[in-house]
Amino acid sequence: GGAGRARGAMAWWQRANAFARRAPLLTGGLALGFRYGFGDYVGQRIEHSMAPQRTAFKLDLRRTLAFASFGAFYGSLPGFAIYNLAYPAVFGAARPLATTIFDVTVHCPFIYFPCFYVAKEFINSSFDTVVRAPTAVVKQALTSWAGNLHEDVGRRPR
């Protein structure tokens, strides 16, 4: 009955927590990859529902996979290191306002967004271009990031 299901759910939760402790990078990557991929799916559904023409919804799978891949990469490497190692070492647990201010003014615009633009450019470039000229892909990504920086941080250039 209900008590058996509750015990089963609790046992599953305990196993999931034990896995997260053993493999925090993988857990972070999986969690953020799922969140970004699902978030893009929801965003596409909303965009479709707001479109003036009524057509059948068609998921842009490449876009969703781009978001999911970036989330998995960012959550398992730079994001994990920044949020779980660097921030506690620099700011400690008792300074959430300082952490938030740094996150919004330094980390997001100058670390997170460049990583996102590089990942997006690699995903959107042809395989041949990625293999032949990876530095050109990175240069194009950073050019796009710089051109969009004001809009991305919510400020208009003067």
Side-chain angles (χ1 to χ4, degrees):
R5 280 194 295 274
R7 279 191 301 278
M10 181 59 79
W12 180 88
W13 192 253
Q14 289 170 340
R15 285 192 306 275
N17 280 329
F19 174 79
R21 281 190 293 279
R22 282 191 317 274
L25 295 176
L26 180 58
T27 302
L30 289 172
L32 212 53
F34 175 79
R35 186 174 99 186
Y36 278 41
F38 185 71
D40 180 64
Y41 168 78
V42 170
Q44 287 187 50
R45 294 297 300 210
I46 291 169
E47 286 175 350
H48 179 264
S49 71
M50 296 172 65
Q53 71 279 8
R54 292 290 171 211
T55 58
F57 174 73
K58 183 168 178 354
L59 178 68
D60 182 346
L61 189 58
R62 183 179 178 123
R63 181 180 130 170
T64 299
L65 290 174
F67 274 100
S69 298
F70 173 71
F73 159 75
Y74 195 81
S76 62
L77 293 173
F80 179 87
I82 289 165
Y83 289 110
N84 294 289
L85 304 174
Y87 280 9
V90 173
F91 298 108
R95 298 173 58 198
L97 183 60
T99 304
T100 302
I101 290 169
F102 183 84
D103 196 54
V104 171
T105 60
V106 177
H107 167 246
C108 285
F110 300 109
I111 298 171
Y112 176 84
F113 283 138
C115 286
F116 176 77
Y117 277 91
V118 168
K120 178 181 172 197
E121 195 66 34
F122 270 99
I123 289 166
N124 288 333
S125 296
S126 70
F127 180 77
D128 183 54
T129 301
V130 168
V131 171
R132 217 176 5 85
T135 54
V137 174
V138 171
K139 184 176 179 182
Q140 175 57 45
L142 295 178
T143 300
S144 296
W145 160 73
N148 292 325
L149 183 60
H150 287 287
E151 182 180 341
D152 287 344
V153 297
R155 299 198 61 215
R156 296 179 192 267
R158 294 178 187 213

